[in-house]
Amino acid sequence: GQYAYGEFKLYTATKAFRDLSLAAAAADGDSTEGVCTKCLSTPSAVALCLQIMSDLVLASNDDTEGASKYVPDAASAEYAIGAIEALIPAILHTGDP
């Protein structure tokens, strides 16, 4: 399988993260605390989702200087967008003083 030789498909990871994000958002419901989504919306997780989307956009233009050599598949970018969308309330929530 895909895990047998150390190969881990990006779309598998992004789909799992999207699904976790949607479940966390559903668990939070209308709560203003957003405890579940706060746990998933770490800066590194959000940055990785944004990097996946950025790489896909940059890969679509061959003339771009400094473009990433990695070209994610469209499904990975779609799942990353879904995760960001589910986590938006926690991402935009102001931090505690």
Side-chain angles (χ1 to χ4, degrees), residues 24-25 27-41 87 90 93:
D28 284 346
D30 292 334
S31 169
T32 57
E33 294 294 316
V35 175
C36 297
T37 51
K38 278 184 186 178
C39 291
L40 292 176
S41 61
L87 298 175
H93 190 267

Side-chain angles (χ1 to χ4, degrees), residues 44-96:
S44 58
V46 173
L48 180 59
C49 288
L50 294 173
Q51 184 66 49
I52 291 167
M53 292 183 284
S54 173
D55 286 350
L56 183 69
V57 171
L58 290 174
S60 67
N61 185 358
D62 294 335
D63 300 333
T64 305
E65 289 278 329
S68 174
K69 292 183 172 59
Y70 179 72
V71 181
D73 58 310
S76 296
E78 179 182 351
Y79 295 142
I81 291 168
I84 292 286
E85 183 180 10
L87 298 175
I88 281 288
I91 293 168
L92 297 179
H93 190 267
T94 57
D96 295 329

